Amino acid sequence: MSQPARHGAKATTHTVPVPRSEWWRRAVFYQIYPRSFADGNGDGTGDLVGVLDRLDHLVDLGVDAIWLSPFYRSPMADGGYDVSDPCDVDPIFGTLDDFDALLAAAHERDIKVTIDIVPNHFSDQHPWFQKALAAPAGSAERDLFIFRDGRGDTGQYPPNNWPSAFGGSAWSRIADGQWYLHLFAPEQPDLNWENPKVPAEFERILRFWMDRNVDGFRIDVANSLAKPEGLPDADLAGWSGISHEPIPAGDPRWDNDHVHDYLRGFRRVLDSYPGERMAVGEAWVRDPERLARYVRADELNLTFNFSLVLAKWGAASFAQAIRESLDAMADVGAPCTWVLSNHDVVRHPTRYGGGAVGVARGRAAALVQLSLPGVVYLYNGDELGLQNVELPDALLQDPTWERSRHTDRGRDGERVPLPWSGSAPPFGFTTGAASWLPMPEQWVSLTVEAERDDADSTLSLYRRALQLRHDVPELATNELTWLDAPDGALCYRRGNSMVVLLNASDGPVAVPEGEVLLASAPLVNAMVPPDTTVWVRTAPA
């Protein structure tokens, strides 16, 4: 049996500067992938009316804000991240009137609404790109994107060796022989942010939505807008060929220093509006210190911290991710923004082993995430303990599946719609016969209806954790003090009397002395079993 932790032993204290009053500094956001949240018109695809109809679920859960993934006009080559009109709603999701009604209903419930902005690229069906295709090489229309002549005697080779994040080359050739850059799918041509018309257009887009009273934005691939001078080749040594993360050795596609100039432009627009508008950046940057640059005082308000997404299950890897993140963000006075799952990554219970073990570890990780100082982003379905779904090949829609020549199954497995009620698919998600991606019959015990009144369900665990996060003063502080813990466990104190212990070892460890406020699994004889996190109110330090 493991020895008890010396819970009074002080190691390292992380103290973030005293926060200002902005609402977003401690908020719990809930990401809604609109196609998969709730269907309001019975066609099998989630929409804005479905979100409005289910807002009370989010009130009951206790979140502060929602993040809506793209609902704009789009050919849907990449699930809506290929935007053809960023100032209108795609008909599959509804209308602008539907959006305004959802926004008003959320605000009536004291829920903030933030939306996705996709500034790296437009859809190839956007009017700008269609005009660029029709214009000659060197034209003003083409300068809005990144067109180049190819290499080789006849320009038959791409301008450089950059790969697409979805597989294959990041370049496609058009009829007149030039090539255009697309870091993602060919249907998503990269914009040229060095052309002043591009930042001006995104200022117009931001103002369009802020004039409608949205509370903030999630900036898609915020680290990609600036391309290096000359577009040099990448060092592809050791790269597997398919990745949604940076190439390990100095990837020139991402995190170029000039990107911060563009993000400062976003911030100036945000600050010109009342009401503490905010923006969070998606920046896959492995170095915590470089990540912190995205949230300097005049740049973005928040940036997703993917350290817990990348961390393997275990106390040491979790502790390292937390320590490095807190240290880096403290240097710039910004809160950490903690993520376990989203629409682009395998759901965390599946990453942690799947099945009953994965669910137990997922519940334990959730109590770590929700106990940390800063901001939390939940992904729709986290609160139900959903895992990834293995879908038939014929149903896969993610562009990665085809681009990788069927070697990478893509992200559809984490985008399967939510189960709401009933005993068989589509579990109340739609009044139609089927949902756009099928749900497994085994989800009958994971519907909102089934979990709502079950005190031991994952939904009940999240509800209690969010209530405590709101009510317990220690969780509102910015101080985290590391405490000694047995091998395979991590332990820290929030404030002066709230102890959090994660047991990721193979055996039980002693419960810290005090009042147990919450545990991710039942305690046995005053011991914390493996794959369990416990919150304990102790005597003041």
Side-chain angles (χ1 to χ4, degrees):
M1 181 180 296
S2 300
Q3 294 299 311
R6 297 192 304 277
H7 296 294
K10 185 173 181 178
T12 305
T13 299
H14 298 263
T15 304
V16 178
V18 176
R20 296 182 288 277
S21 62
E22 291 98 332
W23 64 269
W24 42 265
R25 285 184 167 263
R26 285 196 67 254
V28 175
F29 290 78
Y30 183 96
Q31 181 193 355
I32 292 175
Y33 192 69
R35 296 177 81 185
S36 298
F37 186 69
D39 173 19
N41 64 5
D43 66 357
T45 298
D47 49 40
L48 297 180
V49 171
V51 176
L52 189 155
D53 289 344
R54 299 291 187 175
L55 277 179
D56 288 337
H57 168 67
L58 303 182
V59 174
D60 184 58
L61 183 60
V63 301
D64 303 299
I66 59 177
W67 153 32
L68 281 170
S69 290
F71 50 85
Y72 313 113
R73 284 191 178 269
S74 167
M76 296 293 160
D78 180 26
Y81 281 91
D82 50 314
V83 180
S84 59
D85 186 345
C87 294
D88 198 6
V89 175
D90 194 277
I92 71 169
F93 297 124
T95 66
L96 274 172
D97 286 342
D98 292 333
F99 176 82
D100 291 339
L102 167 59
L103 183 65
H107 284 166
E108 288 172 1
R109 291 162 172 81
D110 293 324
I111 294 176
K112 306 285 189 181
V113 176
T114 64
I115 62 176
D116 239 309
I117 292 295
V118 188
N120 179 72
H121 47 262
F122 278 153
S123 164
D124 63 350
Q125 299 305 304
H126 189 283
W128 278 15
F129 193 71
Q130 290 297 302
K131 291 178 181 177
L133 292 178
S139 63
E141 290 85 356
R142 288 203 181 175
D143 191 56
L144 293 169
F145 299 88
I146 301 176
F147 280 87
R148 295 290 187 274
D149 293 330
R151 296 190 287 196
D153 294 340
T154 61
Q156 71 270 35
Y157 301 117
N160 66 25
N161 72 342
W162 290 4
S164 160
F166 292 161
S169 174
W171 296 91
S172 286
R173 200 177 192 189
I174 64 173
D176 68 6
Q178 276 208 310
W179 299 74
Y180 69 88
L181 179 68
H182 51 86
L183 292 183
F184 297 92
E187 296 87 352
Q188 296 166 293
D190 279 41
L191 288 157
N192 175 18
W193 273 78
E194 293 184 4
N195 187 317
K197 291 184 178 179
V198 173
E201 174 66 1
F202 276 87
E203 176 172 347
R204 183 188 74 86
I205 294 166
L206 292 175
R207 291 188 182 279
F208 176 87
W209 293 106
M210 284 194 289
D211 287 344
R212 301 188 93 86
N213 208 28
V214 301
D215 300 288
F217 302 93
R218 178 259 192 187
I219 310 299
D220 187 59
V221 285
N223 58 333
S224 67
L225 307 186
K227 308 302 191 288
E229 185 176 356
L231 305 181
D233 279 350
D235 180 0
L236 302 179
W239 191 58
S240 64
I242 297 294
S243 177
H244 298 299
E245 302 170 19
I247 296 170
D251 186 342
R253 299 174 300 170
W254 321 106
D255 194 31
N256 291 286
D257 288 343
H258 193 39
V259 73
H260 300 284
D261 295 334
Y262 305 137
L263 300 181
R264 290 186 184 98
F266 283 5
R267 181 62 180 269
R268 286 192 292 271
V269 178
L270 289 165
D271 288 348
S272 71
Y273 280 74
E276 299 173 354
R277 314 297 177 100
M278 54 76 66
V280 58
E282 180 203 24
W284 284 89
V285 179
R286 287 183 179 273
D287 182 345
E289 293 183 359
R290 287 196 68 85
L291 182 65
R293 299 179 67 193
Y294 287 78
V295 286
R296 290 175 292 192
D298 61 344
E299 296 193 37
L300 301 179
N301 307 92
L302 302 171
T303 185
F304 289 123
N305 188 300
F306 294 117
S307 58
L308 287 180
V309 172
L310 298 173
K312 302 294 184 183
W313 174 256
S317 57
F318 272 41
Q320 180 181 356
I322 295 167
R323 286 176 187 271
E324 291 179 350
S325 301
L326 289 172
D327 284 343
M329 292 298 161
D331 289 343
V332 293
C336 284
T337 302
W338 306 103
V339 181
L340 289 175
S341 291
N342 63 33
H343 66 295
D344 282 335
V345 299
V346 173
R347 288 187 178 273
H348 56 279
T350 302
R351 296 202 311 271
Y352 299 152
V357 169
V359 170
R361 291 173 174 175
R363 289 164 60 100
L367 291 197
V368 172
Q369 178 192 28
L370 289 167
S371 70
L372 293 170
V375 180
V376 168
Y377 272 80
L378 307 178
Y379 177 46
N380 55 209
D382 282 358
E383 76 277 23
L384 302 177
L386 299 186
Q387 301 184 54
N388 267 50
V389 177
E390 283 295 321
L391 296 163
D393 293 357
L395 297 180
L396 296 178
Q397 301 188 31
D398 192 297
T400 302
W401 175 239
E402 295 296 335
R403 293 280 295 171
S404 69
R405 299 181 180 179
H406 297 179
T407 60
D408 188 321
R409 298 185 66 78
R411 301 160 293 174
D412 293 313
E414 55 261 27
R415 298 178 178 183
V416 173
L418 266 61
W420 290 94
S421 60
S423 58
F427 293 122
F429 168 79
T430 177
T431 57
S435 52
W436 73 279
L437 288 175
M439 288 176 262
E441 294 181 359
Q442 294 85 347
W443 278 10
V444 64
S445 63
L446 300 179
T447 67
V448 174
E449 179 183 58
E451 293 199 30
R452 181 182 292 120
D453 297 324
D454 178 358
D456 297 324
S457 71
T458 300
L459 177 57
S460 293
L461 179 72
Y462 270 85
R463 287 164 58 191
R464 292 197 299 273
L466 288 172
Q467 187 64 52
L468 288 170
R469 182 180 167 90
H470 181 268
D471 292 345
V472 174
E474 291 86 351
L475 291 175
T477 71
N478 288 288
E479 184 175 291
L480 183 150
T481 302
W482 291 97
L483 306 176
D484 285 352
D487 290 343
L490 67 80
C491 190
Y492 50 84
R493 186 175 59 241
R494 295 296 321 285
N496 68 354
S497 60
M498 174 78 172
V499 169
V500 177
L501 183 142
L502 163 65
N503 179 16
S505 73
D506 294 331
V509 301
V511 179
E513 293 183 4
E515 176 192 2
V516 175
L517 298 181
L518 190 59
S520 64
L523 307 183
V524 181
N525 298 323
M527 304 295 286
V528 181
D531 301 329
T532 300
T533 297
V534 63
W535 293 1
V536 179
R537 177 177 278 132
T538 66

